[in-house]
Coordinates of all heavy atoms in Angstrom, one line a residue:
Y44 N -1.4 -5.3 36.6 CA -2.9 -5.4 36.8 C -3.5 -5.7 35.5 O -3.3 -5.1 34.5 CB -3.5 -4.0 37.3 CG -4.9 -4.0 37.6 CD1 -5.4 -4.8 38.7 CD2 -5.8 -3.5 36.7 CE1 -6.8 -4.8 38.9 CE2 -7.2 -3.5 37.0 CZ -7.7 -4.2 38.1 OH -9.0 -4.4 38.3
P45 N -4.3 -6.9 35.5 CA -5.0 -7.3 34.2 C -6.1 -6.5 33.8 O -7.3 -6.8 34.0 CB -5.3 -8.7 34.6 CG -5.6 -8.7 36.0 CD -4.7 -7.7 36.6
A46 N -5.9 -5.3 33.2 CA -6.9 -4.4 32.9 C -7.5 -4.5 31.5 O -8.6 -3.8 31.2 CB -6.3 -2.9 33.1
Y47 N -6.9 -5.2 30.6 CA -7.3 -5.2 29.2 C -7.9 -6.5 28.7 O -7.4 -7.6 29.0 CB -6.2 -4.9 28.3 CG -5.4 -3.6 28.7 CD1 -4.3 -3.5 29.5 CD2 -6.1 -2.3 28.4 CE1 -3.8 -2.4 29.9 CE2 -5.5 -1.2 28.8 CZ -4.4 -1.1 29.5 OH -3.9 0.0 29.9
T48 N -9.1 -6.5 28.1 CA -9.7 -7.6 27.5 C -8.9 -8.1 26.3 O -8.0 -7.4 25.8 CB -11.1 -7.3 27.0 OG1 -11.0 -6.3 25.9 CG2 -12.0 -6.8 28.1
M49 N -9.1 -9.3 25.9 CA -8.4 -9.8 24.7 C -8.5 -8.9 23.5 O -7.5 -8.6 22.8 CB -8.8 -11.3 24.4 CG -8.1 -11.8 23.1 SD -8.6 -13.5 22.7 CE -7.5 -14.4 23.8
G50 N -9.8 -8.6 23.2 CA -10.0 -7.7 22.0 C -9.3 -6.4 22.1 O -8.6 -5.9 21.1
R51 N -9.3 -5.8 23.2 CA -8.7 -4.4 23.5 C -7.1 -4.7 23.4 O -6.4 -3.9 22.8 CB -9.0 -3.8 24.7 CG -8.4 -2.5 25.0 CD -8.9 -1.4 24.1 NE -8.3 -0.2 24.3 CZ -7.6 0.6 23.5 NH1 -7.5 0.2 22.2 NH2 -7.0 1.7 23.9
A52 N -6.6 -5.7 24.1 CA -5.2 -6.0 24.0 C -4.7 -6.2 22.6 O -3.7 -5.7 22.2 CB -4.9 -7.2 24.9
A53 N -5.4 -7.0 21.8 CA -5.0 -7.3 20.4 C -5.0 -6.0 19.6 O -4.0 -5.7 18.9 CB -5.9 -8.3 19.8
E54 N -6.0 -5.2 19.9 CA -6.1 -3.9 19.1 C -4.9 -3.0 19.5 O -4.4 -2.3 18.7 CB -7.4 -3.2 19.5 CG -7.6 -1.9 18.8 CD -9.0 -1.2 19.4 OE1 -10.0 -1.9 19.4 OE2 -8.9 -0.1 19.8
M55 N -4.6 -2.9 20.8 CA -3.5 -2.0 21.3 C -2.1 -2.4 20.7 O -1.3 -1.5 20.4 CB -3.4 -2.1 22.9 CG -4.6 -1.4 23.5 SD -4.6 -1.6 25.2 CE -3.2 -0.6 25.7
I56 N -1.8 -3.6 20.4 CA -0.6 -4.0 19.9 C -0.6 -4.3 18.5 O 0.3 -4.8 17.9 CB 0.1 -5.2 20.7 CG1 -0.7 -6.5 20.6 CG2 0.3 -4.7 22.2 CD1 0.0 -7.6 21.2
G57 N -1.7 -4.2 17.8 CA -1.9 -4.3 16.3 C -1.8 -5.7 15.9 O -1.2 -6.0 14.9

Side-chain angles (χ1 to χ4, degrees):
Y44 183 73
Y47 304 100
T48 63
M49 177 181 276
R51 180 68 180 128
E54 179 184 312
M55 289 174 69
I56 64 170

